[in-house]
Amino acid sequence: MSGIGRLDRYVLSRTFIGVGGALAILSGVILLIQFVDLSRSVGVRADVSVAQLFGLTLLKAPALVLLLLPFVFLFGGISAYVGLNRRSELVAMRAAGVSAWRFILPSALAAFAVGILAVAFLNPVASALSARFEADRARLMENYLTDAPKEVWLRQGDERNQIVIHAKARDAVDGAVRLRGVSLFIYQKNKDGIPQFKRRLEAAEARLLPGFWKLTDVREATAGEASVRSDSLSIRSSLDSESAMERFSSPEAIAFWRLPEAIRGTEQAGFSANGYRLRFHQLLATPLLFSAMSILAAAFSLRLVRLGGLGGLVGAGVAIGFVFFFFNEFAGALAGADILPLFAAAWAPPVIALLSGLTLLCYTEDG
């Protein structure tokens, strides 16, 4: 058993070397493409230096690398197993009576573990950097297309009240959300749970502080009564600065650990949280997708070189990887349009990829 253990560790180390090489190459390509794209979209519209563009590129790149990590395991695994095959090491393993399942399983489990780490730790970091990227890009381009609409709509609520917030512009000052030209429409739920309009507030500015909105230059209008003016007014808020900024962001820009809170807050405010739920399930399915790609890489690379056709199988494996990637994106789009159930759209692609890899591996190994 100790010999088999050493063999497993050797194959696993070769697999990680292949995955590391694929990660380095893919990261370099992403940095180059992203830098060129930002040079075209930001550099020609704002007065920015090369260093600033490169800084924006570094902020955006981690999210893109995480998105394409399944390809890293696919390409890295193919590279590792093809290398073992060409050096006749697979022939020696087969001659020693070692089944492919014995050294593929550790690689698949390692890919699963990396998927857990990517979701639990790398995803929050990438989400924070993406939020910083969006803020920095907006700051650099704030003087471009100044006539473009900048209106903001927010909604917050609890079991008793619902508040719809409209503002003409927003920005962030010292980490706090500030809205200008603000209208607040306050509703109160009746005994049947139906919101009924109670009052409207108009304010020159609203700043979100811990637990409340601080309004300045306020005019308050209640149904059937004259409007009342005040210099300042505080309104209780269920939002904090981070969750308020998340309302302006796509589900992909929200960290994994904050998605359940975003789902609860969005539904409590009366909005659909399908986008957040889909993203949450897709992240939960990520470790399974990584493991499936690792198994697919092995399934398409174990054919012995002397039998011929290895290059065609490797090309087919790469093509299948792209097919599953676009299938995953397509399923998400169908779920966003309420055509597919969210759970099926998130879990079907990795499950199908895993079953396909296992089926091909059974055919290749056991005939």
Side-chain angles (χ1 to χ4, degrees):
M1 294 298 289
S2 60
I4 294 295
R6 287 195 296 269
L7 180 61
D8 293 341
R9 288 193 294 271
Y10 173 73
V11 175
L12 188 59
S13 66
R14 302 304 303 179
T15 302
F16 271 111
I17 290 174
V19 169
L23 178 61
I25 294 173
L26 187 63
S27 298
V29 172
I30 288 175
L31 285 172
L32 178 61
I33 294 176
Q34 185 66 24
F35 182 81
V36 172
D37 181 67
L38 289 174
S39 299
R40 179 176 51 84
S41 60
V42 178
V44 300
R45 295 176 173 88
D47 184 17
V48 295
S49 65
V50 174
Q52 288 175 311
L53 287 175
F54 188 68
L56 288 176
T57 301
L58 292 179
L59 291 175
K60 185 64 175 177
L64 297 176
V65 171
L66 280 178
L67 177 65
L68 298 178
L69 266 184
F71 287 109
V72 169
F73 283 94
L74 178 65
F75 298 156
I78 288 177
S79 173
Y81 289 116
V82 168
L84 292 172
N85 209 339
R86 292 191 182 280
R87 291 190 298 270
S88 299
E89 290 175 309
L90 288 182
V91 176
M93 295 177 195
R94 300 291 184 86
V98 178
S99 171
W101 298 102
R102 297 298 300 269
F103 54 80
I104 290 173
L105 182 60
S107 298
L109 293 177
F112 190 90
V114 172
I116 294 176
L117 293 176
V119 171
F121 300 103
L122 298 182
N123 171 263
V125 173
S127 298
L129 293 177
S130 294
R132 175 73 179 275
F133 164 81
E134 293 178 1
D136 288 355
R137 184 179 61 174
R139 176 177 53 81
L140 291 172
M141 299 185 67
E142 62 184 354
N143 294 325
Y144 179 73
L145 293 178
T146 54
D147 295 331
K150 299 180 180 178
E151 293 189 349
V152 172
W153 287 93
L154 277 174
R155 191 167 179 173
Q156 66 176 56
D158 52 30
E159 294 79 5
R160 297 183 54 190
N161 299 298
Q162 296 245 334
I163 302 177
V164 177
I165 304 171
H166 172 251
K168 295 180 180 178
R170 71 173 175 91
D171 54 28
V173 179
D174 297 330
V177 175
R178 184 178 65 179
L179 306 177
R180 296 190 297 276
V182 188
S183 299
L184 289 86
F185 304 88
I186 301 176
Y187 297 81
Q188 192 174 62
K189 295 181 181 179
N190 59 20
K191 60 181 181 180
D192 297 322
I194 300 174
Q196 293 182 332
F197 177 76
K198 286 300 181 181
R199 57 179 176 151
R200 173 176 176 173
L201 301 175
E202 300 281 349
E205 181 181 291
R207 188 166 180 175
L208 181 58
L209 301 175
F212 65 96
W213 287 97
K214 183 178 181 180
L215 311 179
T216 56
D217 192 10
V218 187
R219 183 167 62 90
E220 179 178 358
T222 306
E225 299 182 9
S227 60
V228 178
R229 288 189 174 273
S230 56
D231 294 332
S232 64
L233 185 67
S234 296
I235 296 292
R236 183 181 175 184
S237 175
S238 58
L239 301 173
D240 54 30
S241 297
E242 189 171 359
S243 60
M245 293 301 294
E246 286 173 351
R247 303 295 174 90
F248 309 126
S249 305
S250 64
E252 288 74 16
I254 301 178
F256 171 75
W257 298 110
R258 291 192 61 85
L259 278 171
E261 181 182 345
I263 292 171
R264 288 193 299 269
T266 302
E267 291 181 337
Q268 195 175 56
F271 286 119
S272 171
N274 285 349
Y276 298 123
R277 289 188 180 277
L278 175 63
R279 178 61 175 168
F280 185 67
H281 280 291
Q282 286 177 332
L283 289 176
L284 287 177
T286 295
L288 185 63
L289 181 60
F290 287 5
S291 184
M293 287 300 179
S294 178
I295 292 175
L296 274 174
F300 280 98
S301 308
L302 291 182
R303 183 181 179 88
L304 298 180
V305 176
R306 61 180 175 82
L307 297 179
L310 180 60
L313 275 177
V314 169
V318 174
I320 288 293
F322 279 103
V323 168
F324 277 117
F325 177 80
F326 288 111
F327 176 47
N328 190 32
E329 296 298 310
F330 182 63
L334 291 179
D338 292 329
I339 298 176
L340 277 181
L342 299 178
F343 185 85
W347 288 92
V351 169
I352 293 175
L354 179 63
L355 293 178
S356 300
L358 291 175
T359 300
L360 182 57
L361 199 55
C362 288
Y363 177 79
T364 302
E365 178 65 11
D366 303 322

